């Protein structure tokens, strides 16, 4: 493992690999902790692996009985929340020498597809195949509220960064806005282009595969797959829809210049005024970077393999990708150190 | 290949002629209408006739997400295995309703067809033989229609219920001839062209058919051949079918049954299958689509098996409750299984090397698990069988001799591949 200690200015077009960790099972997702000391990744062997970025030490977290699809952290970095296809939500002491489950909650009937933590650190939200959004006390794991309204599997959830609001997005591209105080649904965002019922395959494909607010809460981005021509082969192109949060209007449809076959995941707004997302599919893994006022990306970087997840470090410069070969790769969006 | 009829005995012809003559008489104005005549024949047919009911999970359902789960292994995926009504037998958690009916069913977990192509795999599994450039073999349903259907059956003996499509007839009977080819009910609708043409009154229709009968009879008296008989038979069958359109109308079933099967296309198709079997159709195939999940296998199997599970389990329970189970062979098959290895896009690809079918009912030992795969499902570990063994088993289960020979253009063709044999321990 190699690393570069200093934090240089962001220059996304100079992205280069700075580290690599290997696990013996294909990886599913990855997250940096808020302190930036660790990177965590979940694997097809049901485990979560924690790597210390300083010394490369790896620690397994074992407690789920199925794939862990999403990881989230308390803003303090003290607690890791994991949601899995066993329907469980597990609270972990993220920094312990050998983390053990602190609370194991049977959160959803069917898969628990996503977990998010409120900016004030008081609430945890989960969504799942039971069409429900659930709110939990972030400390003791007690159920706070159940938000009903989705009519299909709920894929993703995110808290607004400055207001007591929550968004949840489902398979059919319906994004619902919830008032945390009342539990009422306030509005919907139409992300229908991210869903299709394939009449030939006779199945639904798509969903809100990635969701993210800008830091000021003015924009909401939803990523996924569109223009699907063959569901069972995953032949479609990545799309990120950006909404004006206040008006609910769609302000941009971010796509790729080339006809990539894949879906958009790992979408985030960067402080340097760009939106980044990863795509993965038949054409391998890519990092695509857009300006909000341009439909097509201004930068495309091809990763060495398909990827399954991407996350950004708290320093705003580093990225982590998790891939089906069992690798977590660390990247710097900056010029190489002299 | 030109059709030749294996059974040309005088008794056979007479019996058939007699019944068709009766029908024609009824159609020409006798007070006993066709539906009543058919209904009167039903109890006898239902009591003795054997049936074959195939569920074809098109595209290739994953054995790991259905009949042979391997949770906790490198190939197992995210789903858990659940116990069933058979102690010690577990299946995927995606089939909770089916799990409660497993004491009626059995599983063969050791199939190796060595075939990963959709068309060839389907051919293997439905004919019991590999595709051959110089020979064509009939579908299991066509064989069943010929060997199991009573002469008096006013309905086609071989019906496929498919999602979507407009219906039509298949070309899957080979040398048995079009009489035994599948009639497809596109989206569960009645067969095509079974309504009177617009502007044609019933009176006019009766008159033209009476005229046709007279002309046919006149022709037959001097120049009757097997071909003219087949033509007449087809016409008579089509006529009878037109009077039987209600048989294909699942809305005629009680609301409680419609509710139990659920408000889905597949639910209605399962209920229609029950209805067809109850009306004496020998072979029914229900196609469920699609399982060709090269991408996001797990999401798609939640959706597809989520739709499959409850109606299928309801139908199994109904066949048992209605006393039809012991006369109906049920098989859940596909063209192949799916790769144990999960690909980069969370898909599973084609895999004929180690996969499963489920079956039960007529002639089949219940609660059995035949064969096994290794720990992560990549190889057959015990009692390897292929499509040939399965085909023999199906025939034996419904009382058809697999060694029986059809006359295919003067060549005697055994019903099943002589190189294979039935899975004896699976037979009741």
């Amino acid at each position: 493992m190699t690393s570069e200690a200093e934090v240089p200015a962001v220059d996304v077009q100079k992205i280069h690999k700075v580290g690599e960790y290997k696990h013996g099972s294909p990886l599913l997702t990855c997250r940096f902790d808020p302190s930036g000391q660790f990177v965590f990744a979940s694997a097809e062997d049901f485990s979560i692996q924690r790597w210390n970025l300083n010394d490369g030490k790896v620690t397994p977290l074992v407690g789920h009985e199925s794939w862990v699809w999403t990881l989230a952290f308390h803003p303090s970095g003290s607690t890791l929340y994991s949601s899995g296809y066993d329907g469980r939500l597990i609270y972990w002491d993220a920094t312990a020498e050998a983390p053990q489950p602190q609370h194991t909650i049977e959160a959803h009937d069917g898969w628990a597809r996503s977990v998010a933590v409120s900016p004030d650190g008081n609430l945890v939200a989960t969504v799942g195949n039971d069409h429900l959004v659930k709110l939990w006390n972030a400390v003791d794991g007690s159920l706070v509220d159940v938000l009903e309204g989705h009519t299909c599997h709920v894929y993703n959830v995110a808290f607004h960064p400055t207001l007591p609001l929550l968004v949840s997005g489902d398979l059919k591209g319906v994004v619902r806005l919830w008032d945390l105080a009342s539990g009422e649904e306030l509005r919907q965002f139409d992300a229908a282009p991210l869903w299709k019922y394939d009449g030939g395959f006779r199945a639904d494909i798509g969903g809100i595969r990635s969701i993210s607010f800008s830091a000021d809460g003015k924009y909401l981005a939803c990523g996924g797959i569109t223009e699907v021509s063959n569901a069972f082969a995953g032949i479609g192109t990545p799309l990120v829809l950006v909404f004006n949060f206040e008006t609910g209007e769609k302000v941009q449809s971010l796509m790729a210049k080339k006809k990539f076959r894949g879906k958009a995941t790992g979408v985030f707004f960067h402080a340097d005024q760009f939106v980044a997302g990863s795509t993965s599919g038949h054409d391998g893994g890519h990092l695509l970077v857009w300006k909000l006022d341009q439909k097509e990306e201004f930068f495309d970087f091809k990763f060495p393999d398909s990827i399954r997840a991407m996350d950004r470090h708290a320093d705003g410069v580093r990225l982590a990708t998790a891939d089906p070969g069992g690798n977590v790769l660390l990247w710097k969006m900056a010029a190489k150190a002299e | 290949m030109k059709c030749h009829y294996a059974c040309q005995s005088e008794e056979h012809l007479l019996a058939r002629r007699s019944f068709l003559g009766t029908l024609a008489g009824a159609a020409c104005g006798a007070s006993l209408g066709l539906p009543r005549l058919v209904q009167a024949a039903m109890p006898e047919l239902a009591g003795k006739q054997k049936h074959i009911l195939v569920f074809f999970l098109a595209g290739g359902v994953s054995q790991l997400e259905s009949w042979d789960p391997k949770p906790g292994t490198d190939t197992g995926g995210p789903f858990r295995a659940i116990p069933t009504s058979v102690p010690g037998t577990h299946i995927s958690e995606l089939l909770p309703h089916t799990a409660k009916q497993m004491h009626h069913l059995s599983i063969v977990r050791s199939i190796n067809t060595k075939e990963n192509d959709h068309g060839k795999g389907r051919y293997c599994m439905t004919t019991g033989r590999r595709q051959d450039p110089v020979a064509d073999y009939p579908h299991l349903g066509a064989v069943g229609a010929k060997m199991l259907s009573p002469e008096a059956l006013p309905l086609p003996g071989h019906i496929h219920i498919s999602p979507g499509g407009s219906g039509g007839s298949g070309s899957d009977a080979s040398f048995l001839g079009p009489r035994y080819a599948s009639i497809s009910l596109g989206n569960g609708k009645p067969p095509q062209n079974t309504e009177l043409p617009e502007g044609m009154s019933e009176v006019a229709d009766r008159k033209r058919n009476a005229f046709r009968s007279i002309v046919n009879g006149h022709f037959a008296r001097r120049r009757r051949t097997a071909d003219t008989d087949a033509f007449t038979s087809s016409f008579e069958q089509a006529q009878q079918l037109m009077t039987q359109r209600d048989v294909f109308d699942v809305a005629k079933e009680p609301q409680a049954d419609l509710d139990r099967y659920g408000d889905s296309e597949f639910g209605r198709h399962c209920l229609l299958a029950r209805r067809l079997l109850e009306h004496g159709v020998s072979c029914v195939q229900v196609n469920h689509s699609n399982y060709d999940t090269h991408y996001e296998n797990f999401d798609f199997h939640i959706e597809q098996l989520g739709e499959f599970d409850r109606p299928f389990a309801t139908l199994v329970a109904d066949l048992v409750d209605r006393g039809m189970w012991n006369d109906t062979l049920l098989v859940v098959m596909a063209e192949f299984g799916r790769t144990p290895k999960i690909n980069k896009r969370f898909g599973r690809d084609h895999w004929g090397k180690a996969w499963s079918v489920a079956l039960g009912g007529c002639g089949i030992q219940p609660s059995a698990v035949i064969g096994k795969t290794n720990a992560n499902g990549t190889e057959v570990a015990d009692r390897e069988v292929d499509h040939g063994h399965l085909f023999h088993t199906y025939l034996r289960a419904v009382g058809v001799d697999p060694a029986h020979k059809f006359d295919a253009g003067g060549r005697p063709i055994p019903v099943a591949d002589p190189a294979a044999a039935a899975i004896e321990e699976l037979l009741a």
Side-chain angles (χ1 to χ4, degrees), chain B residues 321-339:
Chain B
D321 291 346
R322 291 170 177 239
M324 301 166 68
W325 189 243
N326 291 336
D327 296 320
T328 305
L329 168 70
L330 181 151
V331 186
V332 186
M333 65 165 77
E335 55 265 59
F336 39 60
R338 305 213 73 82
T339 49

Side-chain angles (χ1 to χ4, degrees), chain B residues 108-123:
Chain B
V108 180
R109 284 179 170 160
S110 51
I111 302 169
N112 182 3
T113 54
K114 304 180 179 69
E115 185 53 72
N116 291 337
D117 175 84
H118 284 292
K120 292 176 181 174
R122 176 184 282 260
Y123 192 87

Side-chain angles (χ1 to χ4, degrees), chain A residues 67-82:
Chain A
W67 292 2
V68 174
W69 199 246
T70 318
L71 303 170
F73 290 92
H74 192 272
S76 70
S78 60
T79 305
L80 165 70
Y81 305 90
S82 58

Side-chain angles (χ1 to χ4, degrees), chain A residues 66 113 202 204 209 232, chain B residues 78 265 292 296 299 303 344:
Chain A
S66 186
R113 287 187 180 258
R202 306 192 85 75
D204 297 286
R209 301 308 182 98
F232 49 82
Chain B
E265 177 185 72
D292 194 17
E296 300 198 339
D299 279 295
E303 183 162 352
K344 293 177 178 180

Side-chain angles (χ1 to χ4, degrees), chain A residues 35-247:
Chain A
S35 75
Q37 184 185 354
F38 301 108
V39 63
F40 292 72
S42 63
E44 288 185 14
D45 64 7
F46 303 173
S47 75
I48 301 166
Q49 304 292 320
R50 183 188 71 185
W51 284 276
N52 187 315
L53 297 179
N54 295 319
D55 59 16
K57 182 183 176 187
V58 60
T59 304
L61 285 68
V62 178
H64 279 279
E65 292 184 2
S66 186
W67 292 2
V68 174
W69 199 246
T70 318
L71 303 170
F73 290 92
H74 192 272
S76 70
S78 60
T79 305
L80 165 70
Y81 305 90
S82 58
S83 67
Y85 286 178
D86 51 8
R88 288 180 184 157
L89 166 66
I90 298 184
Y91 293 26
W92 310 81
D93 181 344
T95 60
E97 181 70 16
Q100 299 296 317
Q102 296 175 318
H103 302 292
T104 298
I105 301 163
E106 303 297 334
H108 291 273
D109 182 9
W111 293 358
R113 287 187 180 258
S114 184
V115 58
V117 185
S118 62
D120 63 9
N122 290 328
L123 290 173
V124 173
T126 57
V127 294
N129 284 1
D130 54 7
H131 307 178
L132 298 175
V133 180
K134 291 187 174 182
L135 297 173
W136 311 88
N137 182 299
V139 176
D140 63 18
S142 58
L143 182 63
V144 174
D145 206 350
V146 178
L147 310 178
E148 298 182 50
H150 285 285
T151 58
C152 56
H153 296 171
V154 193
Y155 275 53
N156 252 306
V157 63
F159 285 91
H160 191 278
T162 61
L163 301 170
L165 301 169
L166 181 83
V167 289
S168 55
D170 66 26
L171 168 63
K172 295 189 176 177
V174 176
V175 179
R176 296 174 192 268
L177 173 66
W178 306 91
D179 178 0
L180 289 173
S182 66
E184 296 297 316
E185 181 183 323
L186 301 176
R187 194 172 69 211
Q188 294 183 12
F189 299 86
D190 179 10
L194 296 174
W195 164 73
K196 176 183 177 180
Y197 180 76
D198 187 320
F201 192 37
R202 306 192 85 75
D204 297 286
I205 179 170
I208 307 299
R209 301 308 182 98
S210 183
I211 196 164
S212 182
F213 279 102
S214 60
D216 58 10
K218 289 183 177 174
Y219 297 106
L220 172 68
C222 298
I225 191 168
T226 195
E227 297 177 0
V228 174
S229 61
N230 182 334
F232 49 82
I235 308 299
T237 57
L239 170 67
V240 177
L241 298 174
V242 181
F243 297 93
N244 177 313
F245 181 74
E246 188 175 336
T247 65

Side-chain angles (χ1 to χ4, degrees), chain A residues 10 12 15 29-40 53 73 161 211-216 219 221 265-278 287 303 309-322 329-333:
Chain A
V10 170
V12 68
I15 185 171
T29 192
C30 62
R31 285 301 295 269
F32 289 106
D33 79 313
S35 75
Q37 184 185 354
F38 301 108
V39 63
F40 292 72
L53 297 179
F73 290 92
I211 196 164
S212 182
F213 279 102
S214 60
D216 58 10
Y219 297 106
T265 57
V267 173
F268 64 87
F269 290 85
H270 195 279
D272 282 19
Q273 305 300 308
F274 63 77
V275 181
S278 57
L287 169 69
F303 293 116
M310 181 175 78
D311 192 35
R312 61 177 162 165
H313 191 276
D315 64 16
V317 178
R318 276 177 283 182
L319 296 176
T321 55
L329 302 183
L330 300 182
W331 306 87
K332 250 184 188 174
M333 298 184 290

